[in-house]
Every structure is written in C-alpha cells, then in structure tokens.
Amino acid sequence: MSFKFNFQVDDDDDSNNNNKEQFNEDTKLNISEFDIGSKIDELSSKYIDLRIDLNSLLSDAAETEIVSFQSNNKLKKLVKPFKGNQENNNNNNNNNNNNNNNNNNNNNNSVNSNDNKDYEKLLDKTDLIPGVYEGGFKLWECSIDIINYLFEEKIDLKGKKVLEIGCGHGLPGIYCLLNGSTVTFQDYNEEVIYNLTQPNVLINGCDINRAKYISGDWKFVDQLLENEKFDIILTSDTLYNVGSFKKLYNLISNHLESNGKCYLASKTYYFGVGGGIRKFEELLKILNRLSIKTVRDIKDESVDSSVNVHLIKSRTELASSFKESLSFKTISYDDDSNKIDYNEFIKFHSFLQNKFPIIHKVLKRTVINKYSLLFEWTGSDKTLKPLLLNSHYDVVPVVESEWSYNPWGEIRNDNIYGRGSIDNKVVLMATMESIEAILANNYTQPIRTIYLCFGHDEEIGGLNGHRMIAKYFRDNSVRAEAIFDEGCPFLASNFIQGFEDIIAGVGVFEKGYLFYKLTSKVDSFTHSAIPPPESAIGILSKALAKIESNPFAPMENIEKKNQLLQLFNGETIKSSPFLDSMTKTTTALSMVHAGTKPNVIPKTASAWVSHRIINGNSIEYVKNRILDLINDTRITMEIEGFLEPSPISSPFTTAFQILKQTIYQQFGGYNVKVVPTQLMANTDTRHYWDITDNIYRFMPIVGNFMDFVSIHGNNEKISIDDYIKTIHFYKKLILNFQPFSNSSSSNYINKNLKINDYCPNSIYSNNKL
C-alpha cells in the first residue's frame, strides 16, 4: 500500500515537548534506531552546476521515452543515464562550495566521485548500498503517484519554492517546474544529478534558470541549505532505510515554511530492507513537531491492500532465483529429438521443489508424461469451473557465441539475461512466486480450484506436454472457466510510431498455419554444357514468383475481431509490417534447395513456404489458391504442417473483464489501452479448444522492438523491475479472479462468475457485463 502524507510544521513547541515526553514515557521507544548515520559513510553535500556538455549530449539523439500520468499528462525521461565524468563541472562548483567547508570537513569518510567511484560500476548497481548508491537511477513507483496527486488535487504550484528530496529522475520536480515553481533537486549521488536529473529537466523544456541541484547525504544537505525555507517539499520512496529517518525528518522540519506542506509517498513496508511508513510514523510521534495526516491510500505492487498479501522474498532473492531457473538447459530441438537432455528437465523439477516448498506441500502435484507438471490448488466450491494458468518451461536453442551475456542466466545492468527470460520461464516463475507468497500469507484455499499447467515441449508443438495435460482434463471430465496463457508482450510507447500509449494486446484468437514443400522435376541432361529449355530451378522460381507477387487480400472487417487495428488509420496499418500482417493471411518463402555443384544441372528443386492463416480463411482455401496460382503439373505440393485458425474468445466475459481490471491496476501510472487482438504466433492453447471457450493470451511485460527481436534471438532479457512486476501481476490476477475462503473482503469479484457463451459466428457477443 502506498501512502501520501501531508506534513505541516507545528509552531507550538511547548505543547509538542509535553506531548513528546508523554509519548516517550508511554511507548519507551529508542530513537537511536532512526539515526545510524555515524555507522556508514555519509557523502558530503554541494551545489551542482548545470553540466556544460549537456546540450551536445542531448543533440546526439539521446534515447528518451514517455511516462504518462493521469488525464494524459506526459513527461519525458532518458531511457538510460548519460555516461562520462564531470571534471569540468566539478571545477565550476568550487565557488559554490567554499562556504561549506566547515560542514564537510567533519566528514572524514566522504566519497569523492572522481577519485574513489567508478561511474560505470555505479550504473551496474542493482541494489541500494548505504553510503555508496541510494537508487537514483531507478524510476520509483511512488514518484508517479505523487505527480498524480498534485494534478488531481489541483495543488497550486505557481510561484512556489519546491524542494524534491531524493529526486533521481526528478519527474515530480519537473512537473512543478512546468507549472511555475522554482525547484531545488537533491539526490545522494552527484552522478545521478549530472547524468539523469539535469538531462530530464532539459528534454522536458523546463526553464533551467528556475532549477538548482544539490548532491550529498541529508545530514550535510540540511547544513548546506542553512536557513533556506520551502513552500513545498516532495519526496517519494525514501523511507526504505530506518537508519536515515532522523536525517530526513530534520531536513524536512528545518526547511519547511511554517505554513508549507511536505508531500511524501511511500510504501507501507519495503521488504528486504526493513523501512516503510509504519516505522516512520513511530519517529513522527516521538518527535511530534510536524502535524501529519494521510491524504490518500493507493493500492500498488508491493502490497495488495484488500488482503494484505506481501511477497516473502527480497528483490535480490527474487532476481537470483529467476536467474537460477534460466541455468537449466531445457532445450527443445526441432531437427533431432535425440539432442534433448531430459536430465535438465528433471533437475528443473527439483529446483522448483526446493524454491517453492509451500506450493509442494499444499498443492497436489502430478507429473504428466514424465516431464510436464500439473499443480492442483483445490477450491472449496466444487461446483465452480476451475481456472487454468498455463505456461511452458522448454526453450529454443541458442548460439552462445552470438550472445553478449551468459544465455543461461546473468544479471547485468539491472537486467536478467538468459534464454527463457521472456519466452516463457518468466510466466512459470512469476506464477509460482505469487502463489508461494499468497500461501505464506495464510490464504491457503481459494473458493475456485486453480490449475497450474506447465508444458515441457511447447517449442516443438506441445504434443507430449500440453496435449497430454489437456487429455488428463478430458479423461477427468474437467471443463475450465478460463485459460490464461502466454501471448505477445504489451507494446511500449511509440512501438508504433506516433502512438504514445502502451498497447496491452490480449490475444483472443490465433492465426492458423500451413507449411508445405514445393518440388519441381525435369528429365534432362545433367551437365551444364547442355542445358534444357526449362530447368527444375527455373520452373520452381516462376511458381515462387507467382506466389509472392499475389499476396492474400486483407480480410474484410477484420478490425471488428482484432480491435488493436481500430487504433490506427488505414495508411498507418499498410505502412507497418507488424499491423499489416494482422489484416490477412501472410506468405513467407522460407527455404530453397537445389543442386550440388556449379556445373551440374539438378533434376529437382524444392522450396518451403509458410502461411499464417487469418480467421475467416481455411487450410483448404489457402492450399487451393496456391495450386491455382502455380497452375503447373510439374510441381508437386507436400504438406508438412497445418493448423486451422483458432476459435475467437469473447472479450465480454467476466474472465476477460477481470484480466482487463488487473492490467489497469498494474499499469495504472501509465496510459494503457487494453484491446482484444490476434496472436500471430501459436501457443499450446491449441490443445484446449474443447476445454473452455475462454482462452486469453498475454504477456504482462511492456516490450520495445528490441525485446521482440530477442525472443528466439540473442540477448533475451527482462529487467529485474519488470520481473517483480510480473509476479505482482499474477498475484493480483489470482486475487481479483476470486475470493479465498478465509477472506471476508468485499473488494473481490463475486464468486458466481457469469460467463457469456462463445459466439459461434466469430463476432463478439453484444452482452456487456
């Protein structure tokens, strides 16, 4: 839960002293736990001039992205901090800092960034290190909350003097600058100010003359500011370290105008580091100089406020466990099943047993066909159809020499690299982590049964994995309420140029496919000195040219089924291969083979063609159209693989609405469009068409173009933050979908879900909930 506190300085010192003495006597709290600054290095403070090379760096096409807030408010930020030292700027700072020598001379352990810090190593830090790195390069969630609050409450910022404490990206302060304030930005690390905050101020078009910058520990920032006062103080996600609370309290209370306000956004508890709003409340009650009230509670990704479900592992532990899951080479090979090392699959089973002991104690585990896994979380109401959470843990091969990182798990630059980090161990591990946390928080039995279905051969068709799991359900007369399976990552801002919202596409249907081999044969001399009038290669080439030059026409009214297309005009769709491929059956010439030597004429030539078949076309239609186009009896067609387009699942079911609700909860700080769409790839859901009508395919990760390229490619990765958010997403999805038998929360959807029937004409039902 995220809290915003509104502080005001209380000038009635005598009254406060009496209250403080009474409170201390009653509670017997030891204030020393809130001030351990003497036990760590405390970085000296100084004013930071504007980086002199900033304009040239920004002119070199710096990569930026849009962060969207409530009511279409948007700010820009750097995707990555700038690199390089600031020696020239440091010289300019001498005049600013001469009058602070007395403050900083007391700090014998202060760290000079040029002498003792390697900036490249600082960028690689993934965890907070007191006295070294305080997390400024990360965009913390509560900073988004605080901007939303300022906007929604119409806080008057014009002409106000603002201090942003622990600014990092500086977005709250930038919002104030754009609304007429004068802002002082403070961050512990001067590298953050130089390489992130200042560039963000400039790229948002702010008046740089109304911005100042300070780096250093709060103890010395307090001294550096001397008697300066501020109308508004902003700080977000700064309560993670209990030992720094006293310094933060002093900084706020000493520099807030008597009628000023401090807006603080924080989580209830920061797992793994021990801080949080509850402990800070204790200090406020002891010192009792600031009046305080809660102005808003916000459900966020750390705690589900309705049932108080916490994750039970720290950020580092979660990242480490996921990295370890990637170390198992659970590779599926298309060309040779004998290459598959099933020992790796068995080792992965043991890994899951070790990492998730509560799940293995509470849920019923069934091994399907030796290597696939099925977990049954039995619900208390047997009349309700179960929910299926599907994924797979096999991966495609890698060419290790083409990777810049270890393809079997490496954490670098706050990212987790490895095959399967997106496709698809991320879903399996996030699901397991979320349920382990729910169980650990004593929510042990859902009303509705939940199955976790983990296939082991999805990458080669799922015939021995999910097909056999689906058979298990048929044999046991199980019909599901809904299935949630892997899909396309959500499209990042400007994935389609000019469209700044995140597009959360939920696959409600899949294309089919047809793979075939075309072969031409001629009976002629084989020596190249006596060529025939028409060669096998020439005959085949003419056929391939006809196929490629006569693409399938766009399907009429396809946007009614694929609502993602409704977001764009016809010109944009035609100009985007990604969008255009969604409108029709596609054709790809994928392989050719003929000949053995330059001077030998082959009697046969072969080519392989792949079609992705849109809903509304059929395998028979595609095959006949191609044969009609070729119109040559010397060419034969050998079909090697086929699948009809999937049925369409309705987006008007309760299951879809709950999924949509969860997406909005997870990505509430951004503008996001949730749309039912078509999945162009194929998943193991093909084996479940008769198990449920409600199949929804998605990947709750926001991906850019390079993320898409890395799937089945090189350097596949997910950021640590995105992985943890994926865990929270599945936790919310499970909790939103149904109540638990020992939860009385009224915030849950009613257990008696009314699911609309699948509409047989492949057009969505008109019955909205």
Side-chain angles (χ1 to χ4, degrees):
M1 182 177 294
S2 172
F3 286 85
K4 290 191 181 65
F5 279 89
N6 174 326
F7 296 93
Q8 276 188 294
V9 176
D10 193 329
D11 291 325
D12 190 356
D13 290 333
D14 292 335
S15 172
N16 286 331
N17 288 335
N18 293 334
N19 291 336
K20 179 174 67 177
E21 290 171 5
Q22 181 65 41
F23 185 82
N24 278 325
E25 184 177 348
D26 291 343
T27 59
K28 299 181 180 179
L29 289 173
N30 185 357
I31 198 171
S32 63
E33 71 170 309
F34 301 104
D35 188 2
I36 57 171
S38 60
K39 299 179 182 179
I40 62 171
D41 292 342
E42 294 174 316
L43 200 60
S44 59
S45 63
K46 58 185 176 182
Y47 284 96
I48 305 293
D49 284 349
L50 193 66
R51 182 168 177 163
I52 58 176
D53 59 348
L54 199 52
N55 285 321
S56 62
L57 286 172
L58 289 171
S59 66
D60 292 337
E63 188 178 0
T64 64
E65 61 185 357
I66 299 293
V67 178
S68 299
F69 307 94
Q70 296 292 344
S71 300
N72 210 32
N73 280 295
K74 293 181 175 66
L75 293 175
K76 295 180 182 178
K77 75 176 188 69
L78 290 182
V79 173
K80 294 180 180 179
F82 285 138
K83 296 184 178 181
N85 61 56
Q86 294 80 22
E87 293 180 358
N88 293 333
N89 284 76
N90 291 339
N91 292 333
N92 294 335
N93 287 328
N94 289 337
N95 293 334
N96 284 337
N97 296 312
N98 284 338
N99 63 334
N100 301 308
N101 287 335
N102 292 334
N103 293 339
N104 295 329
N105 286 339
N106 295 328
N107 178 24
N108 295 326
N109 294 321
S110 64
V111 181
N112 181 285
S113 64
N114 289 319
D115 295 338
N116 301 327
K117 285 189 178 179
D118 185 340
Y119 175 61
E120 298 296 327
K121 291 182 179 179
L122 196 66
L123 278 177
D124 287 343
K125 298 296 182 187
T126 60
D127 291 306
L128 305 173
I129 303 176
V132 178
Y133 171 64
E134 297 291 345
F137 289 127
K138 175 183 175 180
L139 178 61
W140 294 87
E141 294 87 350
C142 287
S143 64
I144 295 172
D145 294 337
I146 215 164
I147 297 176
N148 286 334
Y149 179 81
L150 294 174
F151 172 79
E152 291 166 5
E153 297 299 319
K154 298 180 173 57
I155 303 300
D156 182 16
L157 298 171
K158 188 172 183 180
K160 296 293 195 266
K161 192 173 179 182
V162 176
L163 170 65
E164 185 181 0
I165 299 173
C167 62
H169 285 259
L171 297 186
I174 290 170
Y175 177 82
C176 294
L177 277 175
L178 293 172
N179 284 276
S181 301
T182 298
V183 179
T184 298
F185 296 89
Q186 180 276 331
D187 197 272
Y188 186 84
N189 297 100
E190 65 178 276
E191 294 89 349
V192 172
I193 296 288
Y194 279 123
N195 297 289
L196 193 61
T197 314
Q198 290 183 350
N200 282 346
V201 169
L202 260 68
I203 64 178
N204 281 284
C206 298
D207 182 354
I208 60 175
N209 296 315
R210 289 191 284 110
K212 293 194 295 185
Y213 309 92
I214 298 176
S215 69
D217 186 87
W218 291 333
K219 172 182 175 181
F220 297 115
V221 173
D222 185 13
Q223 298 172 12
L224 180 64
L225 289 171
E226 296 181 330
N227 297 320
E228 189 171 0
K229 300 286 186 179
F230 296 89
D231 302 303
I232 295 174
I233 296 179
L234 306 175
T235 187
S236 54
D237 281 307
T238 49
L239 298 184
Y240 52 84
N241 182 3
V242 175
S244 66
F245 282 6
K246 183 64 161 51
K247 291 185 287 188
L248 177 61
Y249 174 90
N250 287 338
L251 182 57
I252 294 171
S253 62
N254 290 339
H255 299 284
L256 188 63
E257 287 282 6
S258 59
N259 61 344
K261 293 182 179 179
C262 171
Y263 297 99
L264 182 151
S266 174
K267 293 180 172 62
T268 305
Y269 187 75
Y270 289 87
F271 286 88
V273 288
I277 199 65
R278 298 300 182 220
K279 294 295 291 185
F280 195 60
E281 283 180 298
E282 294 179 14
L283 177 65
L284 292 172
K285 291 175 181 177
I286 296 171
L287 299 176
N288 203 21
R289 185 167 176 257
L290 297 173
S291 62
I292 176 175
K293 67 176 180 179
T294 303
V295 294
R296 181 170 297 181
D297 294 353
I298 300 174
K299 181 187 292 188
D300 71 5
E301 65 180 43
S302 292
V303 179
D304 188 295
S305 62
S306 61
V307 293
N308 204 31
V309 172
H310 305 271
L311 296 187
I312 58 175
K313 298 176 185 176
S314 69
R315 182 176 187 270
T316 300
E317 289 170 330
L318 291 168
S320 177
S321 291
F322 185 53
K323 184 193 79 168
E324 188 177 352
S325 77
L326 303 177
S327 69
F328 299 95
K329 300 178 181 180
T330 51
I331 306 170
S332 287
Y333 294 92
D334 268 320
D335 53 344
D336 186 358
S337 61
N338 292 325
K339 288 183 180 179
I340 299 176
D341 183 0
Y342 285 110
N343 288 327
E344 290 291 306
F345 292 70
I346 299 301
K347 290 177 184 176
F348 185 74
H349 291 186
S350 299
F351 162 79
L352 294 179
Q353 287 179 305
N354 179 57
K355 292 297 181 181
F356 305 106
I358 310 178
I359 286 178
H360 283 80
K361 180 179 179 181
V362 176
L363 276 63
K364 177 186 174 183
R365 174 180 176 266
T366 302
V367 179
I368 304 291
N369 207 17
K370 295 183 180 179
Y371 307 111
S372 288
L373 295 174
L374 178 65
F375 292 89
E376 180 182 351
W377 196 1
T378 306
S380 60
D381 189 340
K382 301 299 191 296
T383 66
L384 298 177
K385 294 177 183 178
L387 171 67
L388 274 55
L389 301 176
N390 289 15
S391 60
H392 66 90
Y393 68 95
D394 65 316
V395 299
V396 298
V398 301
V399 181
E400 295 193 18
S401 61
E402 296 180 359
W403 282 59
S404 303
Y405 307 92
N406 184 354
W408 306 114
E410 179 178 348
I411 296 177
R412 183 74 66 85
N413 302 327
D414 220 24
N415 293 312
I416 308 169
Y417 290 86
R419 176 63 83 226
S421 56
I422 296 179
D423 184 17
N424 182 240
K425 285 180 178 174
V426 61
V427 172
L428 185 152
M429 288 293 291
T431 303
M432 294 289 275
E433 293 285 8
S434 66
I435 294 178
E436 188 83 356
I438 293 171
L439 291 169
N441 281 267
N442 295 320
Y443 292 90
T444 55
Q445 186 177 32
I447 299 293
R448 183 187 302 276
T449 295
I450 297 175
Y451 286 99
L452 314 180
C453 309
F454 302 151
H456 73 276
D457 64 341
E458 188 273 347
E459 299 294 356
I460 52 177
L463 297 180
N464 295 307
H466 271 290
R467 184 170 73 96
M468 302 309 293
I469 298 175
K471 181 179 182 299
Y472 173 91
F473 288 132
R474 290 186 203 98
D475 292 344
N476 289 276
S477 301
V478 175
R479 184 163 172 80
E481 191 68 84
I483 294 175
F484 297 135
D485 203 344
E486 66 172 322
C488 181
F490 298 161
L491 307 183
S493 174
N494 279 306
F495 185 96
I496 306 297
Q497 193 63 37
F499 195 86
E500 295 185 347
D501 290 339
I502 293 171
I503 302 175
V506 177
V508 294
F509 64 107
E510 298 178 8
K511 280 188 170 184
Y513 63 80
L514 176 64
F515 305 148
Y516 54 84
K517 174 184 176 183
L518 297 176
T519 302
S520 62
K521 294 183 179 181
V522 295
D523 191 13
S524 66
F525 291 108
T526 59
H527 199 286
S528 62
I530 312 174
E534 283 189 290
S535 65
I537 294 176
I539 293 169
L540 181 64
S541 297
K542 290 177 183 178
L544 296 178
K546 289 179 181 178
I547 293 172
E548 193 167 57
S549 61
N550 289 278
F552 287 81
M555 181 61 61
E556 188 175 354
N557 295 323
I558 187 61
E559 69 278 359
K560 292 182 179 179
K561 303 174 183 178
N562 184 355
Q563 293 183 16
L564 186 149
L565 296 173
Q566 296 179 15
L567 302 176
F568 305 95
N569 59 39
E571 183 179 344
T572 301
I573 292 172
K574 287 181 181 179
S575 64
S576 166
F578 178 80
L579 295 176
D580 187 55
S581 66
M582 291 184 172
T583 67
K584 58 192 174 185
T585 294
T586 58
T587 301
L589 311 182
S590 53
M591 293 191 298
V592 290
H593 178 75
T596 57
K597 295 179 64 178
N599 64 341
V600 176
I601 300 173
K603 291 189 175 183
T604 64
S606 297
W608 284 260
V609 183
S610 170
H611 298 283
R612 296 288 177 168
I613 305 173
I614 199 164
N615 186 283
N617 289 163
S618 66
I619 294 170
E620 191 68 17
Y621 167 76
V622 172
K623 181 188 74 171
N624 291 336
R625 183 178 184 274
I626 295 301
L627 291 176
D628 288 344
L629 279 173
I630 295 173
N631 193 24
D632 193 331
T633 57
R634 294 170 296 178
I635 293 179
T636 60
M637 175 187 286
E638 180 182 350
I639 294 177
E640 297 188 347
F642 61 89
L643 179 69
E644 293 286 3
S646 76
I648 300 180
S649 296
S650 171
F652 299 120
T653 64
T654 302
F656 185 91
Q657 298 305 315
I658 293 171
L659 172 60
K660 186 176 181 179
Q661 167 194 334
T662 307
I663 293 170
Y664 283 136
Q665 285 178 348
Q666 182 69 34
F667 299 96
Y670 304 87
N671 282 351
V672 57
K673 301 287 188 185
V674 181
V675 291
T677 186
Q678 163 200 277
L679 190 66
M680 290 179 288
N682 296 111
T683 68
D684 275 333
T685 58
R686 73 187 79 176
H687 305 299
Y688 294 85
W689 292 352
D690 62 340
I691 301 297
T692 182
D693 296 328
N694 307 308
I695 300 176
Y696 304 109
R697 308 153 183 91
F698 58 91
M699 180 73 68
I701 301 164
V702 178
N704 57 33
F705 178 76
M706 292 309 298
D707 293 324
F708 278 73
V709 171
S710 74
I711 300 173
H712 290 202
N714 300 327
N715 299 322
E716 184 181 350
K717 74 179 190 314
I718 185 174
S719 73
I720 295 175
D721 288 344
D722 281 344
Y723 173 58
I724 294 174
K725 288 177 181 178
T726 306
I727 298 170
H728 287 295
F729 179 89
Y730 281 99
K731 179 191 71 176
K732 291 174 182 174
L733 181 62
I734 292 167
L735 297 175
N736 284 340
F737 197 86
Q738 61 183 322
F740 280 67
S741 56
N742 58 344
S743 171
S744 60
S745 170
S746 61
N747 293 333
Y748 285 127
I749 303 298
N750 189 286
K751 69 176 182 179
N752 297 311
L753 299 182
K754 181 180 180 181
I755 305 297
N756 293 334
D757 291 334
Y758 162 66
C759 189
N761 64 2
S762 298
I763 300 296
Y764 303 136
S765 165
N766 292 322
N767 299 322
K768 296 186 179 182
L769 297 176

